[in-house]
Amino acid sequence: MSANAAAKPAGASGAEASRLFEPTSEDALRDVIAGAVSEEVPLLVEGTGSKSGLGRPVQAGATLSTRKLTGVTLYEPEELVLSARAGTPIAEIEAMLDEKHQRLEFEPIDYGPLHGRERGLGTIGGVVACNLAGPRRLKQGAARDHVLGVRAVSGRAEIFKSGGRVVKNVTGYDLSKGIAGSFGTLAVMSEVTIKVLPKSEAETTLLLRGLDDEAASAAMALALGSPAEASGAAHLPMLTAARVMDGALGNEPATAIRLDGFGPSVEARAKHLGTVLEERGRLEHLHGEESRAFWRDVKDAIPFADGSERPVWRVSVAPTSGHALVMGLRRHAAIDAFYDWQGGLVWLRMESGEAEADLVRAGVSRIGGGHATLVRATDQVRAATEVFQPHAPALAGLSRRLKEQFDPAGVLNPGKMG
Amino acid sequence: MSIAMPKPSAAVLSRREEIVSALRAIVPGEGVVDATNEMRVFESDGLTAYRQLPLVVVLPQTVKQVSKVLKYCHANDIPVVPRGAGTSLSGGALPLEDGVLLVLSKFNKVLDVDFDNRCAVVQPGVTNLGITKAVDHRGFYYAPDPSSQIACSIGGNIAENSGGVHCLKYGLTTNNVLGLEFVTMEGEIVRIGGKHLDADGGYDMLGLMTGSEGLLGVVTEVTVRILQAPETARAVLIGFPTSEQGGECVAAIIARGIIPGGMEMMDRPAIHAAEDFVLAGYPRDVEALLIVELDGPKAEVDHLLSAVETIARENGATTTRVSQSEEERAAFWAGRKAAFPAVGRISPDYYCMDGTIPRKELPRVLAGMKEMEKKYGLKVANVFHAGDGNLHPLVLYDANKGELEKAEEFGNDILRLCVEVGGVLTGEHGVGVEKRDLMPEMFSETDLKHQQRVKCAFDAKHLLNPGKVFPQLHRCAELGRMHVHKGEVAFPDLPRF
């Protein structure tokens, strides 16, 4: 079986890559990588290229796309498991799950709007490779928490598998997690197996209005420390609140707690949480579709989906420190910010157009640590910036050695992660 | 015992005295144990069929000491076996004759409890239950609950990626850890993650370390997520005339969108052994017994209990009993939790297996085990984490009658069957030495080599816990070679660039 070769570059991301390979089988995928190793041609690895704005620009001699490795190979709703080839559109998978009242519990962000693209263009391989997550991250984890197994081809042009199709499995190292979130720099996945879960029957969001960032942080900590089992906790300060749900919330800060599950349970929890929160501010409710629309916009960072290329950072810190980070940074730079994960995920937009990486990371370190990833910026800015958090020497050494073990020739997305 | 361990290094054995005194210089006082009678307690872990006295036992108290011990052993090519509470059921902490046993039991402090950020920072020697005890005054708990939770340490939980009965709903250890500090074989102290999510934004070292069975680093600090305990929990006991019906009921509950906090199944021999032992009130006239526990707000639990009862009836349940009090709920669980010792009463010895299968394959696997009972002339009692497909067949045997090897062969056959139906060798007990030589049943040579390349990134000299997990150790230099060379076309249809 041979790989298809076409002369055209792969979308916007592959401008520097003169050749495009779109293997249609795992063996062909392996052959492309073997060829790249043999001829020392670095590859830009992607699915559809929908997330090409993440990571550092790759200097590649050819593009390897998994977009033609498609198809759901196994879906057993009662077993809560789905396997699909890496290039299967995520939209197709979500629709298939929806039909059986199931979903991807990690609620992956769709970077399309933030990067000025449509929604729904990515692949399951891309979602796993970038270890995406959404507001439900704080309760149910990220993609890496739901990956049960992968098949992949490493930079050694060898096909290997890891994990399996069952939830409880400690047989050997959890390589699937190593591959998830490695942005195609260790191996190219050909197939992934993920855990899926039932969709919630009902959903309600409690909205506290008018809180400043610090008061919002305290209110979210209170809610998350109660038995309400919140599956989302976000705070949208004044300007950002106006940008979700097509402006339906007006320009007043909104602190949101999502409750979902079975109808009677959501009702009881909402009632109880309401009594806990009512002294903290004016309380409103979003039910059903309204609530889903709100969280979809928070998930996809719609407040910053402005069609611009102003740098946007995604910063992960201890939840109660998020607002202190923003307060500190405001003294030095013009920023706009909103919060997810109880304040532990800070979305920052740099209003001046400068990424200010040193400033942001010094701020993170000052409030006790975490990591900052530049998730939107021009190619030039991303080429000149450490997009991912730089690590201390010991950890950086482990990462470097891991890369050397899996991709000794450095053909897979070289430079993508720094 | 039938497992071959790496040949001890004569050079190391001959330098024992020198090594002991070098270690004493790092860890003073009683922190170095070298007297045979004092080392005896460390000669095996929970897999007691395997025993070996270590070269010397070291019990460090500080991270600096751990780092210095490892640096010294690295420089002198001395193997190191890390050990927590020693409850591993797969021999993960089995000592080596030429190896230092590094015991972390003095790392037993809860360093920080942060309720607002819902996490706790603890030392690795703190027990699993010890974490819950440190936070339960505010209604919190640590979710993964292996049945050894009173004794097992969180450091060991990281090494084994421990599970428990609540995995399907609350995840395994790997889903509940936020950060680690560990020391590499070279003595480097590495910190990953913390009170924030997604560790460090780079490669998922947290995911690789968790479940690595002490082969990648020695954990010296752990940050875990803590959760608010559910408002209520109630259990329902459901009896079925056949195990197939029990299995169908499990599938139907999940298909209805219900993820119970716990869902356990026992077969007739296990039911009888447990009932004889603790009088849990289990029905004796059923082939399969399901315990379904629902937890959460009262409104939810009440709502789901009636749904589960209906599903049970639709799937041919002959008895259903809902717990009416905390005491009754505890009694329902008492039988299940005592299943292993209960089986211990009816058989001189038992061998506990730990495969996981796709739930729907349960009838096929149970039928397969019936055949094997005939083949080996040994009996099996089954307890099954039905929610997540993790099977614990207990092979009953008598070591005094020389049945150990037969029991091990029986167990290996069960695990091969688990793999054949799409499952795995071990769901929560780990590979250790016990299942090491079965790894090729599940993984190809290339799969295993890729796993070992992780090892090479962390411990290129293979000094940390050698002889565990991998049936064959390839030298990292050999693994590092690339088999695709310039000008040499390894594949017939290689695309030309």
Side-chain angles (χ1 to χ4, degrees), chain B residues 1 13 29 59 68 73 105 118 149 195 256 292 309 328 337-338 345 360 372 399 418 422 427 445:
Chain B
M1 77 187 213
L13 294 177
L59 298 104
K68 282 183 179 169
C73 291
S105 56
R118 299 185 322 286
Q149 68 180 146
K195 293 183 176 181
R256 172 72 177 76
V292 180
E309 280 185 284
E328 197 173 9
K337 288 190 172 164
R345 287 172 74 238
K360 64 169 185 184
M372 292 176 207
C418 290
E445 182 73 14

Side-chain angles (χ1 to χ4, degrees), chain A residues 126-155:
Chain A
V127 164
V128 172
C130 302
N131 189 30
L132 300 187
R136 203 172 270 109
R137 173 72 180 95
L138 87 170
K139 181 164 183 249
Q140 300 284 29
R144 55 89 81 180
D145 292 287
H146 298 261
V147 174
L148 301 177
V150 301
R151 292 185 61 85
V153 182
S154 69

Side-chain angles (χ1 to χ4, degrees), chain B residues 1 4 36 41 55 90 115 153 157 172 279 313 316-317 332 357 364 382-383 392 394 437 465:
Chain B
M1 77 187 213
T36 302
V41 294
L55 184 74
S90 54
F115 290 109
S153 67
N157 289 181
L172 303 147
L279 297 172
R313 272 196 303 275
F332 286 3
I357 56 171
R364 183 171 154 199
N382 266 297
V383 291
H392 290 314
L394 305 170
D437 292 349
N465 219 3

